[in-house]
Amino acid sequence: MLPKKASSIEDFKEGKGEKVRNRIWSYEDPTEGFKSIKDYVSFYAGPWDCYVDGELVKPQPGDFYGGWVTSEIVGQVKGGPGTWGW
């Protein structure tokens, strides 16, 4: 089950800095099983530095998924070359 009927993709600009496009999203009307994430904001792991429990994370390979890869994840991660169609 997917958490979305549709998501909202946002741009971000802090002060006079460069605008970051299509790196932030939210679910304004999630499906029934995911109502608890309504209006939360999610971030891709780049182009900024993102940390989980103090660890600098890497963006999930490719640009389709918004996952954050930590040292706790073992094995190949979907998104890179050769992983389409898993």
Side-chain angles (χ1 to χ4, degrees), residues 28-60:
E28 296 167 354
D29 186 23
T31 54
E32 191 59 39
F34 296 91
K35 293 290 185 187
S36 63
I37 65 171
K38 181 182 181 337
D39 297 326
Y40 276 73
V41 179
S42 300
F43 296 83
Y44 279 90
W48 36 67
D49 289 342
C50 296
Y51 293 83
V52 173
D53 292 332
E55 178 184 349
L56 177 63
V57 299
K58 295 183 278 185
Q60 185 171 356

Side-chain angles (χ1 to χ4, degrees), residues 19-36:
K19 183 181 273 191
V20 176
R21 298 187 182 279
N22 302 321
R23 306 307 287 171
I24 304 168
W25 76 96
S26 64
Y27 300 109
E28 296 167 354
D29 186 23
T31 54
E32 191 59 39
F34 296 91
K35 293 290 185 187
S36 63

Side-chain angles (χ1 to χ4, degrees), residues 13 18 31 33 54 56 70-72 85:
K13 181 175 181 179
E18 183 178 333
T31 54
L56 177 63
T70 69
S71 62
E72 294 180 8

